[in-house]
């Protein structure tokens, strides 16, 4: 007699939880984003993000990289100031290697990470080294990037990838969502450093995005 009532009660609870979860997720720009809260780890580290930064390991690893660009508002023309860019990537051994005393998401993302804040002209630049692809080239060389605009939730955009990467397959290029614009960049050596540029358009191909 009581089992059907108990089962009905359980179903109602589960449906209610699902409804709450869906409603909450609908307010997240770009959908759910595992680890995107790492965008705010700079507060734990008491850092003040700048428009130009050098990631750990730059001096010790080769080949070295310099990547610059401009972040634009959704109109694709107006420079966007004070936008936080969180970037991270693997070591030359294809792992997300934490330091001896990792803080926050460093335990998962490794020590080769940084936070940038665009300047009044929307500019940013970072120096790092070229990451290795995942073992057995399960995924090509890439640098993750998450975005945090003022007064908006954080979201991810397409990874930085490199046109000259021999492990990058055409099917992977075709599968890119071009969130924020294309992340596929050309690299050319300047002053001994592989140099590339990527401009970003806020909200481009990001679900639920509004100005």
């Amino acid at each position: 007699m009581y089992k059907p009532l108990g089962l009905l009660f359980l179903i109602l609870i589960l449906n209610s939880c699902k409804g709450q979860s869906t409603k909450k997720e609908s307010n997240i720009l770009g959908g759910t984003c595992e680890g995107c809260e790492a965008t705010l780890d700079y507060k734990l580290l008491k850092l003040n993000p700048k428009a130009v930064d050098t990631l750990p390991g730059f001096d010790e690893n080769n080949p070295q990289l310099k990547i610059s660009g401009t972040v634009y508002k959704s109109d694709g023309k107006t420079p966007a100031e004070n936008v936080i860019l969180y970037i991270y990537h693997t070591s030359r051994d294809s792992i997300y290697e934490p330091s001896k005393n990792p803080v926050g998401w460093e335990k998962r993302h490794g020590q080769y990470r940084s936070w940038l804040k665009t300047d009044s002209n929307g500019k940013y630049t970072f120096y790092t080294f070229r990451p290795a692809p995942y073992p057995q080239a399960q995924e090509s060389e890439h640098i993750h990037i998450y975005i945090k605009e003022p007064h908006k939730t954080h979201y991810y955009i397409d990874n930085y990838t490199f046109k000259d990467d021999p492990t990058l397959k055409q099917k992977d290029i075709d599968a890119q969502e071009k969130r924020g614009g294309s992340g596929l960049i050309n690299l050319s050596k300047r002053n001994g450093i592989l140099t590339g540029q990527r401009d970003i358009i806020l909200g481009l191909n990001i679900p639920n995005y509004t100005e």
Side-chain angles (χ1 to χ4, degrees):
M1 178 178 178
Y2 294 102
K3 289 182 179 179
L5 290 175
L7 180 60
L8 178 61
F9 183 68
L10 179 60
I11 291 172
L12 288 173
I13 290 176
L14 291 174
N15 286 339
S16 175
C17 290
K18 289 179 180 178
Q20 291 173 6
S21 176
T22 301
K23 183 177 181 181
K24 182 178 180 181
E25 289 177 4
S26 68
N27 294 323
I28 299 175
L29 295 183
T32 56
C33 178
E34 181 181 0
C36 269
E37 55 265 40
T39 309
L40 302 179
D41 268 4
Y42 71 90
K43 295 181 179 180
L44 297 176
L45 296 164
K46 298 181 180 179
L47 297 176
N48 293 312
K50 301 176 182 179
V52 180
D53 195 21
T54 301
L55 274 67
F58 173 74
D59 292 326
E60 297 80 24
N61 291 279
N62 284 294
Q64 296 175 322
L65 286 177
K66 174 187 177 183
I67 297 178
S68 302
T70 303
V71 178
Y72 295 99
K73 294 185 178 181
S74 59
D75 62 8
K77 299 177 182 179
T78 308
E81 184 180 6
N82 294 327
V83 176
I84 297 293
L85 311 180
Y86 170 64
I87 55 176
Y88 70 98
H89 62 75
T90 63
S91 69
R92 291 297 300 163
D93 294 321
S94 304
I95 60 174
Y96 294 103
E97 179 184 353
S99 63
K100 293 181 179 179
N101 298 297
V103 174
W105 274 86
E106 184 188 336
K107 298 171 185 177
R108 293 278 298 277
H109 292 174
Q111 63 183 297
Y112 306 118
R113 60 180 190 154
S114 180
W115 297 263
L116 302 155
K117 180 184 283 189
T118 57
D119 64 17
S120 59
N121 296 310
K123 302 291 186 182
Y124 74 93
T125 296
F126 65 88
Y127 294 83
T128 188
F129 58 90
R130 190 163 185 158
Y134 288 170
Q136 289 78 51
Q138 293 177 351
E139 189 169 344
S140 61
E141 301 170 348
H142 61 279
I143 298 175
H144 296 277
I145 174 170
Y146 300 159
I147 299 289
K148 176 67 175 72
E149 301 177 50
H151 315 300
K152 292 185 184 294
T153 58
H154 32 54
Y155 56 92
Y156 73 92
I157 62 174
D158 278 21
N159 297 332
Y160 292 89
T161 53
F162 313 108
K163 287 186 178 180
D164 65 347
D165 176 6
T167 67
L168 182 64
K169 301 177 176 62
Q170 186 61 46
K171 66 180 181 64
D172 298 322
I173 296 174
D174 295 340
Q176 292 179 356
E177 300 176 80
K178 296 186 177 179
R179 293 167 62 112
S182 175
L184 184 61
I185 60 176
N186 282 310
L187 294 174
S188 59
K189 185 164 285 191
R190 300 177 188 174
N191 299 318
I193 298 176
L194 291 172
T195 303
Q197 178 172 333
R198 180 189 183 178
D199 295 337
I200 296 167
I201 301 177
L202 298 174
L204 184 62
N205 298 321
I206 303 298
N208 304 323
Y209 189 89
T210 56
E211 279 290 356

